[in-house]
Amino acid sequence: INTDGHYIASNNSGSVTALVNAVTLNNNGRLTLINNAGSGNVTFDFAGTNRTLTLNGTSKLQLESVSSTGVAVINISNGFTCASTALPAVDFGFGNVTGNLISLKGNFTKTGAGDITTSSATNASTGFVFSGVNQTFTFAGTSSGVNYTANNTGTFTCGSNFTFGTALTQKTI
């Protein structure tokens, strides 16, 4: 999805399930899963070998742009790379975001100045879920306000320091 392109998975009521190949968002490209309060669940499955999601330039990924009753899920069979400088680069959504998640079986790399956040002031998203056999987590740039869960499915390696918590309760691994 290139300059100023915007793909919206659900702009209506009902549920959507999509099987997609690798996706790269460039420049001001945007991907929004839920864009209507009446939307149902939306699931994007990046199934198969070498399926990745990459954000470059000022691109944005928004799981839920309005509060809805739907749940936004992205399943990636390989890696996730965020080199975007957008604020936010990844937003898990507004309103009720319980259950919104990005699950991946490959590596996680964040290098851009863009942040990863949840705009909702009332709910926490499920966030990122790591369920691969051998995964590396590398994070540089703006601290993140979302949940990260590493399942007991293999080796999870931190490739860089990452600060969890607030200024009073920071934990770096």
Side-chain angles (χ1 to χ4, degrees):
I1 302 172
N2 286 314
T3 306
D4 295 323
H6 190 187
Y7 181 84
I8 299 171
S10 179
N11 203 23
N12 232 318
S13 61
S15 296
V16 175
T17 299
L19 293 173
V20 295
N21 289 315
V23 170
T24 299
L25 303 174
N26 288 315
N27 301 321
N28 197 32
R30 293 181 295 158
L31 172 61
T32 302
L33 270 64
I34 294 176
N35 198 45
N36 184 294
S39 291
N41 298 336
V42 175
T43 301
F44 260 48
D45 286 323
F46 291 75
T49 307
N50 297 322
R51 303 298 190 240
T52 59
L53 177 58
T54 304
L55 284 69
N56 293 318
T58 56
S59 59
K60 298 177 183 181
L61 170 63
Q62 188 163 44
L63 276 74
E64 193 168 349
S65 67
V66 296
S67 184
S68 75
T69 57
V71 175
V73 174
I74 297 176
N75 296 309
I76 306 171
S77 65
N78 203 336
F80 173 82
T81 300
C82 180
S84 175
T85 59
L87 298 172
V90 177
D91 188 343
F92 280 84
F94 292 86
N96 183 8
V97 296
T98 303
N100 288 2
L101 68 94
I102 298 174
S103 172
L104 63 148
K105 294 184 177 181
N107 297 331
F108 175 101
T109 303
K110 182 186 173 304
T111 59
D115 62 352
I116 297 174
T117 190
T118 300
S119 291
S120 176
T122 57
N123 296 100
S125 66
T126 301
F128 286 93
V129 177
F130 300 91
S131 57
V133 176
N134 293 305
Q135 293 177 276
T136 299
F137 178 88
T138 305
F139 193 104
T142 307
S143 189
S144 177
V146 300
N147 295 316
Y148 295 85
T149 304
N151 288 335
N152 190 15
T153 55
T155 303
F156 184 78
T157 304
C158 286
S160 63
N161 288 340
F162 182 69
T163 302
F164 291 95
T166 65
L168 298 176
T169 60
Q170 288 185 347
K171 305 290 183 204
T172 302
I173 57 173

PDB file of all heavy atoms in Angstrom, residues 132-169:
ATOM      1  N   GLY A 132       5.895 -18.269  18.108  1.00  0.00           N
ATOM      2  CA  GLY A 132       6.785 -19.012  17.217  1.00  0.00           C
ATOM      3  C   GLY A 132       7.732 -19.916  17.986  1.00  0.00           C
ATOM      4  O   GLY A 132       7.748 -19.940  19.217  1.00  0.00           O
ATOM      5  N   VAL A 133       8.542 -20.649  17.236  1.00  0.00           N
ATOM      6  CA  VAL A 133       9.501 -21.567  17.842  1.00  0.00           C
ATOM      7  C   VAL A 133      10.771 -20.830  18.257  1.00  0.00           C
ATOM      8  O   VAL A 133      11.244 -20.976  19.375  1.00  0.00           O
ATOM      9  CB  VAL A 133       9.823 -22.725  16.874  1.00  0.00           C
ATOM     10  CG1 VAL A 133      10.891 -23.631  17.448  1.00  0.00           C
ATOM     11  CG2 VAL A 133       8.552 -23.510  16.567  1.00  0.00           C
ATOM     12  N   ASN A 134      11.347 -20.042  17.371  1.00  0.00           N
ATOM     13  CA  ASN A 134      12.545 -19.246  17.661  1.00  0.00           C
ATOM     14  C   ASN A 134      12.306 -17.828  17.173  1.00  0.00           C
ATOM     15  O   ASN A 134      12.267 -17.590  15.976  1.00  0.00           O
ATOM     16  CB  ASN A 134      13.777 -19.839  16.970  1.00  0.00           C
ATOM     17  CG  ASN A 134      14.145 -21.189  17.539  1.00  0.00           C
ATOM     18  OD1 ASN A 134      14.340 -21.318  18.737  1.00  0.00           O
ATOM     19  ND2 ASN A 134      14.205 -22.187  16.687  1.00  0.00           N
ATOM     20  N   GLN A 135      12.157 -16.897  18.121  1.00  0.00           N
ATOM     21  CA  GLN A 135      11.840 -15.519  17.763  1.00  0.00           C
ATOM     22  C   GLN A 135      12.810 -14.554  18.422  1.00  0.00           C
ATOM     23  O   GLN A 135      13.255 -14.777  19.546  1.00  0.00           O
ATOM     24  CB  GLN A 135      10.412 -15.173  18.206  1.00  0.00           C
ATOM     25  CG  GLN A 135       9.347 -15.931  17.453  1.00  0.00           C
ATOM     26  CD  GLN A 135       7.961 -15.608  17.965  1.00  0.00           C
ATOM     27  OE1 GLN A 135       7.513 -16.189  18.936  1.00  0.00           O
ATOM     28  NE2 GLN A 135       7.291 -14.682  17.295  1.00  0.00           N
ATOM     29  N   THR A 136      13.086 -13.453  17.702  1.00  0.00           N
ATOM     30  CA  THR A 136      13.927 -12.392  18.248  1.00  0.00           C
ATOM     31  C   THR A 136      13.106 -11.114  18.312  1.00  0.00           C
ATOM     32  O   THR A 136      12.407 -10.763  17.368  1.00  0.00           O
ATOM     33  CB  THR A 136      15.184 -12.173  17.376  1.00  0.00           C
ATOM     34  OG1 THR A 136      15.930 -13.392  17.357  1.00  0.00           O
ATOM     35  CG2 THR A 136      16.047 -11.058  17.941  1.00  0.00           C
ATOM     36  N   PHE A 137      13.208 -10.417  19.439  1.00  0.00           N
ATOM     37  CA  PHE A 137      12.501  -9.170  19.691  1.00  0.00           C
ATOM     38  C   PHE A 137      13.544  -8.056  19.732  1.00  0.00           C
ATOM     39  O   PHE A 137      14.412  -8.049  20.602  1.00  0.00           O
ATOM     40  CB  PHE A 137      11.755  -9.274  21.024  1.00  0.00           C
ATOM     41  CG  PHE A 137      11.018  -8.033  21.435  1.00  0.00           C
ATOM     42  CD1 PHE A 137       9.719  -7.821  21.009  1.00  0.00           C
ATOM     43  CD2 PHE A 137      11.609  -7.090  22.258  1.00  0.00           C
ATOM     44  CE1 PHE A 137       9.016  -6.690  21.397  1.00  0.00           C
ATOM     45  CE2 PHE A 137      10.925  -5.957  22.657  1.00  0.00           C
ATOM     46  CZ  PHE A 137       9.629  -5.758  22.223  1.00  0.00           C
ATOM     47  N   THR A 138      13.468  -7.121  18.768  1.00  0.00           N
ATOM     48  CA  THR A 138      14.395  -5.996  18.719  1.00  0.00           C
ATOM     49  C   THR A 138      13.575  -4.714  18.683  1.00  0.00           C
ATOM     50  O   THR A 138      12.719  -4.547  17.817  1.00  0.00           O
ATOM     51  CB  THR A 138      15.293  -6.082  17.465  1.00  0.00           C
ATOM     52  OG1 THR A 138      15.936  -7.350  17.461  1.00  0.00           O
ATOM     53  CG2 THR A 138      16.335  -4.982  17.468  1.00  0.00           C
ATOM     54  N   PHE A 139      13.835  -3.815  19.634  1.00  0.00           N
ATOM     55  CA  PHE A 139      13.020  -2.615  19.771  1.00  0.00           C
ATOM     56  C   PHE A 139      13.923  -1.410  19.974  1.00  0.00           C
ATOM     57  O   PHE A 139      14.722  -1.375  20.904  1.00  0.00           O
ATOM     58  CB  PHE A 139      12.078  -2.749  20.973  1.00  0.00           C
ATOM     59  CG  PHE A 139      10.983  -1.726  21.026  1.00  0.00           C
ATOM     60  CD1 PHE A 139       9.687  -2.070  20.674  1.00  0.00           C
ATOM     61  CD2 PHE A 139      11.238  -0.431  21.426  1.00  0.00           C
ATOM     62  CE1 PHE A 139       8.661  -1.127  20.726  1.00  0.00           C
ATOM     63  CE2 PHE A 139      10.220   0.511  21.479  1.00  0.00           C
ATOM     64  CZ  PHE A 139       8.931   0.160  21.132  1.00  0.00           C
ATOM     65  N   ALA A 140      13.780  -0.406  19.103  1.00  0.00           N
ATOM     66  CA  ALA A 140      14.487   0.860  19.260  1.00  0.00           C
ATOM     67  C   ALA A 140      13.501   1.982  18.963  1.00  0.00           C
ATOM     68  O   ALA A 140      12.610   1.831  18.138  1.00  0.00           O
ATOM     69  CB  ALA A 140      15.669   0.937  18.304  1.00  0.00           C
ATOM     70  N   GLY A 141      13.650   3.093  19.650  1.00  0.00           N
ATOM     71  CA  GLY A 141      12.763   4.222  19.416  1.00  0.00           C
ATOM     72  C   GLY A 141      11.833   4.470  20.583  1.00  0.00           C
ATOM     73  O   GLY A 141      12.127   4.114  21.717  1.00  0.00           O
ATOM     74  N   THR A 142      10.688   5.053  20.287  1.00  0.00           N
ATOM     75  CA  THR A 142       9.716   5.456  21.294  1.00  0.00           C
ATOM     76  C   THR A 142       9.201   4.260  22.077  1.00  0.00           C
ATOM     77  O   THR A 142       8.865   3.232  21.504  1.00  0.00           O
ATOM     78  CB  THR A 142       8.537   6.185  20.619  1.00  0.00           C
ATOM     79  OG1 THR A 142       9.058   7.242  19.827  1.00  0.00           O
ATOM     80  CG2 THR A 142       7.569   6.741  21.641  1.00  0.00           C
ATOM     81  N   SER A 143       9.117   4.407  23.385  1.00  0.00           N
ATOM     82  CA  SER A 143       8.606   3.350  24.243  1.00  0.00           C
ATOM     83  C   SER A 143       7.165   3.032  23.882  1.00  0.00           C
ATOM     84  O   SER A 143       6.458   3.837  23.290  1.00  0.00           O
ATOM     85  CB  SER A 143       8.687   3.776  25.708  1.00  0.00           C
ATOM     86  OG  SER A 143       8.384   2.700  26.541  1.00  0.00           O
ATOM     87  N   SER A 144       6.735   1.873  24.251  1.00  0.00           N
ATOM     88  CA  SER A 144       5.455   1.367  23.812  1.00  0.00           C
ATOM     89  C   SER A 144       4.461   1.250  24.962  1.00  0.00           C
ATOM     90  O   SER A 144       4.851   0.927  26.073  1.00  0.00           O
ATOM     91  CB  SER A 144       5.675  -0.002  23.178  1.00  0.00           C
ATOM     92  OG  SER A 144       4.474  -0.572  22.799  1.00  0.00           O
ATOM     93  N   GLY A 145       3.189   1.487  24.666  1.00  0.00           N
ATOM     94  CA  GLY A 145       2.155   1.397  25.683  1.00  0.00           C
ATOM     95  C   GLY A 145       1.208   0.237  25.455  1.00  0.00           C
ATOM     96  O   GLY A 145       0.026   0.339  25.746  1.00  0.00           O
ATOM     97  N   VAL A 146       1.694  -0.874  24.898  1.00  0.00           N
ATOM     98  CA  VAL A 146       0.838  -2.029  24.650  1.00  0.00           C
ATOM     99  C   VAL A 146       1.422  -3.264  25.337  1.00  0.00           C
ATOM    100  O   VAL A 146       2.560  -3.261  25.797  1.00  0.00           O
ATOM    101  CB  VAL A 146       0.655  -2.307  23.133  1.00  0.00           C
ATOM    102  CG1 VAL A 146       0.013  -1.117  22.435  1.00  0.00           C
ATOM    103  CG2 VAL A 146       1.950  -2.670  22.475  1.00  0.00           C
ATOM    104  N   ASN A 147       0.619  -4.307  25.389  1.00  0.00           N
ATOM    105  CA  ASN A 147       1.041  -5.564  26.000  1.00  0.00           C
ATOM    106  C   ASN A 147       1.848  -6.411  25.018  1.00  0.00           C
ATOM    107  O   ASN A 147       1.568  -6.434  23.824  1.00  0.00           O
ATOM    108  CB  ASN A 147      -0.186  -6.372  26.450  1.00  0.00           C
ATOM    109  CG  ASN A 147      -0.944  -5.677  27.550  1.00  0.00           C
ATOM    110  OD1 ASN A 147      -0.360  -5.159  28.487  1.00  0.00           O
ATOM    111  ND2 ASN A 147      -2.261  -5.648  27.426  1.00  0.00           N
ATOM    112  N   TYR A 148       2.839  -7.130  25.553  1.00  0.00           N
ATOM    113  CA  TYR A 148       3.649  -8.074  24.791  1.00  0.00           C
ATOM    114  C   TYR A 148       3.624  -9.397  25.559  1.00  0.00           C
ATOM    115  O   TYR A 148       4.000  -9.428  26.728  1.00  0.00           O
ATOM    116  CB  TYR A 148       5.101  -7.589  24.652  1.00  0.00           C
ATOM    117  CG  TYR A 148       5.223  -6.334  23.841  1.00  0.00           C
ATOM    118  CD1 TYR A 148       5.067  -5.078  24.428  1.00  0.00           C
ATOM    119  CD2 TYR A 148       5.483  -6.391  22.487  1.00  0.00           C
ATOM    120  CE1 TYR A 148       5.174  -3.925  23.671  1.00  0.00           C
ATOM    121  CE2 TYR A 148       5.603  -5.233  21.725  1.00  0.00           C
ATOM    122  CZ  TYR A 148       5.438  -4.018  22.323  1.00  0.00           C
ATOM    123  OH  TYR A 148       5.538  -2.877  21.576  1.00  0.00           O
ATOM    124  N   THR A 149       3.190 -10.467  24.889  1.00  0.00           N
ATOM    125  CA  THR A 149       3.100 -11.774  25.538  1.00  0.00           C
ATOM    126  C   THR A 149       3.886 -12.795  24.726  1.00  0.00           C
ATOM    127  O   THR A 149       3.609 -12.992  23.546  1.00  0.00           O
ATOM    128  CB  THR A 149       1.623 -12.242  25.629  1.00  0.00           C
ATOM    129  OG1 THR A 149       0.874 -11.251  26.315  1.00  0.00           O
ATOM    130  CG2 THR A 149       1.514 -13.576  26.344  1.00  0.00           C
ATOM    131  N   ALA A 150       4.863 -13.439  25.358  1.00  0.00           N
ATOM    132  CA  ALA A 150       5.629 -14.501  24.706  1.00  0.00           C
ATOM    133  C   ALA A 150       5.104 -15.836  25.224  1.00  0.00           C
ATOM    134  O   ALA A 150       5.230 -16.149  26.405  1.00  0.00           O
ATOM    135  CB  ALA A 150       7.115 -14.357  24.999  1.00  0.00           C
ATOM    136  N   ASN A 151       4.473 -16.592  24.332  1.00  0.00           N
ATOM    137  CA  ASN A 151       3.964 -17.903  24.709  1.00  0.00           C
ATOM    138  C   ASN A 151       5.123 -18.874  24.900  1.00  0.00           C
ATOM    139  O   ASN A 151       6.211 -18.676  24.378  1.00  0.00           O
ATOM    140  CB  ASN A 151       2.988 -18.432  23.649  1.00  0.00           C
ATOM    141  CG  ASN A 151       1.685 -17.684  23.670  1.00  0.00           C
ATOM    142  OD1 ASN A 151       1.294 -17.121  24.678  1.00  0.00           O
ATOM    143  ND2 ASN A 151       1.003 -17.655  22.538  1.00  0.00           N
ATOM    144  N   ASN A 152       4.870 -19.936  25.618  1.00  0.00           N
ATOM    145  CA  ASN A 152       5.885 -20.946  25.900  1.00  0.00           C
ATOM    146  C   ASN A 152       5.942 -21.951  24.751  1.00  0.00           C
ATOM    147  O   ASN A 152       5.685 -23.139  24.935  1.00  0.00           O
ATOM    148  CB  ASN A 152       5.563 -21.636  27.233  1.00  0.00           C
ATOM    149  CG  ASN A 152       6.694 -22.510  27.694  1.00  0.00           C
ATOM    150  OD1 ASN A 152       7.814 -22.412  27.201  1.00  0.00           O
ATOM    151  ND2 ASN A 152       6.404 -23.384  28.633  1.00  0.00           N
ATOM    152  N   THR A 153       6.266 -21.470  23.552  1.00  0.00           N
ATOM    153  CA  THR A 153       6.280 -22.338  22.372  1.00  0.00           C
ATOM    154  C   THR A 153       7.681 -22.520  21.801  1.00  0.00           C
ATOM    155  O   THR A 153       7.853 -23.220  20.819  1.00  0.00           O
ATOM    156  CB  THR A 153       5.376 -21.757  21.267  1.00  0.00           C
ATOM    157  OG1 THR A 153       5.785 -20.408  20.992  1.00  0.00           O
ATOM    158  CG2 THR A 153       3.910 -21.786  21.685  1.00  0.00           C
ATOM    159  N   GLY A 154       8.661 -21.856  22.389  1.00  0.00           N
ATOM    160  CA  GLY A 154      10.020 -21.960  21.866  1.00  0.00           C
ATOM    161  C   GLY A 154      10.933 -20.979  22.549  1.00  0.00           C
ATOM    162  O   GLY A 154      10.711 -20.588  23.690  1.00  0.00           O
ATOM    163  N   THR A 155      11.974 -20.543  21.851  1.00  0.00           N
ATOM    164  CA  THR A 155      12.963 -19.620  22.381  1.00  0.00           C
ATOM    165  C   THR A 155      12.608 -18.200  21.965  1.00  0.00           C
ATOM    166  O   THR A 155      12.417 -17.920  20.789  1.00  0.00           O
ATOM    167  CB  THR A 155      14.369 -19.974  21.861  1.00  0.00           C
ATOM    168  OG1 THR A 155      14.663 -21.324  22.218  1.00  0.00           O
ATOM    169  CG2 THR A 155      15.415 -19.057  22.453  1.00  0.00           C
ATOM    170  N   PHE A 156      12.531 -17.313  22.940  1.00  0.00           N
ATOM    171  CA  PHE A 156      12.228 -15.903  22.708  1.00  0.00           C
ATOM    172  C   PHE A 156      13.443 -15.105  23.158  1.00  0.00           C
ATOM    173  O   PHE A 156      13.804 -15.110  24.335  1.00  0.00           O
ATOM    174  CB  PHE A 156      10.973 -15.498  23.500  1.00  0.00           C
ATOM    175  CG  PHE A 156      10.530 -14.084  23.258  1.00  0.00           C
ATOM    176  CD1 PHE A 156       9.843 -13.753  22.105  1.00  0.00           C
ATOM    177  CD2 PHE A 156      10.799 -13.088  24.183  1.00  0.00           C
ATOM    178  CE1 PHE A 156       9.424 -12.451  21.874  1.00  0.00           C
ATOM    179  CE2 PHE A 156      10.385 -11.783  23.962  1.00  0.00           C
ATOM    180  CZ  PHE A 156       9.699 -11.477  22.803  1.00  0.00           C
ATOM    181  N   THR A 157      14.102 -14.424  22.218  1.00  0.00           N
ATOM    182  CA  THR A 157      15.346 -13.716  22.494  1.00  0.00           C
ATOM    183  C   THR A 157      15.147 -12.222  22.338  1.00  0.00           C
ATOM    184  O   THR A 157      14.615 -11.767  21.320  1.00  0.00           O
ATOM    185  CB  THR A 157      16.449 -14.173  21.510  1.00  0.00           C
ATOM    186  OG1 THR A 157      16.578 -15.584  21.601  1.00  0.00           O
ATOM    187  CG2 THR A 157      17.772 -13.507  21.826  1.00  0.00           C
ATOM    188  N   CYS A 158      15.584 -11.468  23.343  1.00  0.00           N
ATOM    189  CA  CYS A 158      15.547 -10.011  23.240  1.00  0.00           C
ATOM    190  C   CYS A 158      16.845  -9.563  22.597  1.00  0.00           C
ATOM    191  O   CYS A 158      17.930  -9.788  23.135  1.00  0.00           O
ATOM    192  CB  CYS A 158      15.384  -9.372  24.615  1.00  0.00           C
ATOM    193  SG  CYS A 158      13.730  -9.553  25.267  1.00  0.00           S
ATOM    194  N   GLY A 159      16.722  -8.919  21.437  1.00  0.00           N
ATOM    195  CA  GLY A 159      17.881  -8.470  20.698  1.00  0.00           C
ATOM    196  C   GLY A 159      18.337  -7.082  21.088  1.00  0.00           C
ATOM    197  O   GLY A 159      19.322  -6.579  20.577  1.00  0.00           O
ATOM    198  N   SER A 160      17.603  -6.432  21.980  1.00  0.00           N
ATOM    199  CA  SER A 160      17.972  -5.095  22.434  1.00  0.00           C
ATOM    200  C   SER A 160      17.303  -4.833  23.771  1.00  0.00           C
ATOM    201  O   SER A 160      16.395  -5.550  24.170  1.00  0.00           O
ATOM    202  CB  SER A 160      17.523  -4.039  21.420  1.00  0.00           C
ATOM    203  OG  SER A 160      16.115  -4.041  21.305  1.00  0.00           O
ATOM    204  N   ASN A 161      17.763  -3.792  24.452  1.00  0.00           N
ATOM    205  CA  ASN A 161      17.104  -3.412  25.700  1.00  0.00           C
ATOM    206  C   ASN A 161      15.724  -2.870  25.397  1.00  0.00           C
ATOM    207  O   ASN A 161      15.507  -2.219  24.385  1.00  0.00           O
ATOM    208  CB  ASN A 161      17.910  -2.329  26.429  1.00  0.00           C
ATOM    209  CG  ASN A 161      19.179  -2.889  27.010  1.00  0.00           C
ATOM    210  OD1 ASN A 161      19.313  -4.083  27.212  1.00  0.00           O
ATOM    211  ND2 ASN A 161      20.128  -2.015  27.276  1.00  0.00           N
ATOM    212  N   PHE A 162      14.809  -3.115  26.280  1.00  0.00           N
ATOM    213  CA  PHE A 162      13.449  -2.626  26.135  1.00  0.00           C
ATOM    214  C   PHE A 162      12.939  -2.285  27.520  1.00  0.00           C
ATOM    215  O   PHE A 162      13.092  -3.079  28.452  1.00  0.00           O
ATOM    216  CB  PHE A 162      12.561  -3.689  25.489  1.00  0.00           C
ATOM    217  CG  PHE A 162      11.143  -3.232  25.254  1.00  0.00           C
ATOM    218  CD1 PHE A 162      10.865  -2.262  24.310  1.00  0.00           C
ATOM    219  CD2 PHE A 162      10.110  -3.763  25.988  1.00  0.00           C
ATOM    220  CE1 PHE A 162       9.566  -1.832  24.094  1.00  0.00           C
ATOM    221  CE2 PHE A 162       8.811  -3.348  25.780  1.00  0.00           C
ATOM    222  CZ  PHE A 162       8.546  -2.374  24.825  1.00  0.00           C
ATOM    223  N   THR A 163      12.359  -1.110  27.687  1.00  0.00           N
ATOM    224  CA  THR A 163      11.894  -0.665  28.989  1.00  0.00           C
ATOM    225  C   THR A 163      10.403  -0.908  29.123  1.00  0.00           C
ATOM    226  O   THR A 163       9.617  -0.460  28.295  1.00  0.00           O
ATOM    227  CB  THR A 163      12.211   0.831  29.193  1.00  0.00           C
ATOM    228  OG1 THR A 163      13.613   1.010  29.067  1.00  0.00           O
ATOM    229  CG2 THR A 163      11.762   1.304  30.560  1.00  0.00           C
ATOM    230  N   PHE A 164      10.037  -1.626  30.165  1.00  0.00           N
ATOM    231  CA  PHE A 164       8.633  -1.881  30.467  1.00  0.00           C
ATOM    232  C   PHE A 164       8.247  -1.041  31.680  1.00  0.00           C
ATOM    233  O   PHE A 164       9.050  -0.826  32.579  1.00  0.00           O
ATOM    234  CB  PHE A 164       8.413  -3.355  30.849  1.00  0.00           C
ATOM    235  CG  PHE A 164       8.593  -4.307  29.714  1.00  0.00           C
ATOM    236  CD1 PHE A 164       9.804  -4.933  29.506  1.00  0.00           C
ATOM    237  CD2 PHE A 164       7.553  -4.569  28.830  1.00  0.00           C
ATOM    238  CE1 PHE A 164       9.985  -5.812  28.467  1.00  0.00           C
ATOM    239  CE2 PHE A 164       7.716  -5.448  27.794  1.00  0.00           C
ATOM    240  CZ  PHE A 164       8.936  -6.069  27.594  1.00  0.00           C
ATOM    241  N   GLY A 165       7.007  -0.583  31.732  1.00  0.00           N
ATOM    242  CA  GLY A 165       6.519   0.122  32.906  1.00  0.00           C
ATOM    243  C   GLY A 165       6.575   1.624  32.763  1.00  0.00           C
ATOM    244  O   GLY A 165       6.831   2.169  31.701  1.00  0.00           O
ATOM    245  N   THR A 166       6.330   2.315  33.872  1.00  0.00           N
ATOM    246  CA  THR A 166       6.324   3.767  33.900  1.00  0.00           C
ATOM    247  C   THR A 166       7.660   4.266  34.451  1.00  0.00           C
ATOM    248  O   THR A 166       8.523   3.479  34.853  1.00  0.00           O
ATOM    249  CB  THR A 166       5.192   4.287  34.798  1.00  0.00           C
ATOM    250  OG1 THR A 166       5.470   3.868  36.142  1.00  0.00           O
ATOM    251  CG2 THR A 166       3.847   3.749  34.372  1.00  0.00           C
ATOM    252  N   ALA A 167       7.815   5.561  34.521  1.00  0.00           N
ATOM    253  CA  ALA A 167       9.067   6.145  35.029  1.00  0.00           C
ATOM    254  C   ALA A 167       9.367   5.676  36.452  1.00  0.00           C
ATOM    255  O   ALA A 167      10.515   5.592  36.846  1.00  0.00           O
ATOM    256  CB  ALA A 167       8.979   7.666  34.972  1.00  0.00           C
ATOM    257  N   LEU A 168       8.348   5.370  37.239  1.00  0.00           N
ATOM    258  CA  LEU A 168       8.547   4.940  38.617  1.00  0.00           C
ATOM    259  C   LEU A 168       8.806   3.452  38.747  1.00  0.00           C
ATOM    260  O   LEU A 168       9.400   2.994  39.721  1.00  0.00           O
ATOM    261  CB  LEU A 168       7.332   5.323  39.472  1.00  0.00           C
ATOM    262  CG  LEU A 168       7.045   6.815  39.571  1.00  0.00           C
ATOM    263  CD1 LEU A 168       5.767   7.060  40.353  1.00  0.00           C
ATOM    264  CD2 LEU A 168       8.210   7.548  40.206  1.00  0.00           C
ATOM    265  N   THR A 169       8.355   2.670  37.771  1.00  0.00           N
ATOM    266  CA  THR A 169       8.473   1.225  37.901  1.00  0.00           C
ATOM    267  C   THR A 169       9.107   0.588  36.663  1.00  0.00           C
ATOM    268  O   THR A 169       8.736  -0.505  36.261  1.00  0.00           O
ATOM    269  CB  THR A 169       7.077   0.600  38.103  1.00  0.00           C
ATOM    270  OG1 THR A 169       6.259   0.907  36.978  1.00  0.00           O
ATOM    271  CG2 THR A 169       6.435   1.087  39.383  1.00  0.00           C
TER     272      THR A 169
END
